[in-house]
Amino acid sequence: MPDTDRAVYGYTLSGTLLNSDNTRYAGPFLSSGIAAGDSHRTPITLAGTLKNMYFRVRLNNLNANGTVTLMLNGSASALVITVTASTAGLFSDTTNTVAVVAGDLISFKFDDGGATAGAWTDFSIVVECQYV
């Protein structure tokens, strides 16, 4: 029987992000792309708990550790993933959780950690929502 009390919010980029010294934002499911400010937010429709955030990057040649943060109503939440410098693959935060209610707005913040060279190329991010 399918698990109907869960949803997955995500974003995928086929291309290059963070050409060093950048912070960018994206909203789950939004096709409007990446923005310099946190204007790309997606509304939560039911109360629940966000958890199990995963980030996969195909090519990472940033020369500093970067982070991916789930933003809640424009503020950083407890869900944060550190992406090790010059390391491709799967990164996750499966420890922290964030409570949400209907009407909350979420987005993803991508920060290059002050890198002076490099970029992330071809990536995807997902976060699970367990509804209450």
Side-chain angles (χ1 to χ4, degrees):
M1 173 178 264
D3 193 352
T4 58
D5 59 350
R6 296 174 192 249
V8 175
Y9 293 87
Y11 184 84
T12 297
L13 176 74
S14 180
T16 300
L17 174 70
L18 300 178
N19 287 313
S20 74
D21 198 27
N22 286 301
T23 298
R24 295 289 185 256
Y25 299 84
F29 308 124
L30 296 180
S31 61
S32 50
I34 302 288
D38 190 17
S39 60
H40 293 52
R41 299 178 185 173
T42 298
I44 296 292
T45 57
L46 297 169
T49 301
L50 297 174
K51 60 184 181 177
N52 298 330
M53 189 164 74
Y54 293 89
F55 177 77
R56 179 178 296 279
V57 61
R58 185 185 63 79
L59 174 64
N60 174 9
N61 58 6
L62 282 180
N63 64 358
N65 291 344
T67 57
V68 179
T69 304
L70 182 106
M71 303 296 287
L72 178 62
N73 298 319
S75 298
S77 76
L79 282 167
V80 179
I81 297 170
T82 298
V83 182
T84 307
S86 299
T87 305
L90 181 65
F91 302 87
S92 64
D93 179 344
T94 58
T95 304
N96 296 303
T97 63
V98 176
V100 292
V101 297
D104 278 346
L105 299 172
I106 64 169
S107 61
F108 299 113
K109 176 182 175 184
F110 307 97
D111 190 301
D112 70 3
T116 57
W120 290 339
T121 303
D122 301 340
F123 70 85
S124 58
I125 182 164
V126 295
V127 63
E128 174 187 350
C129 186
Q130 173 73 52
Y131 296 117
V132 292

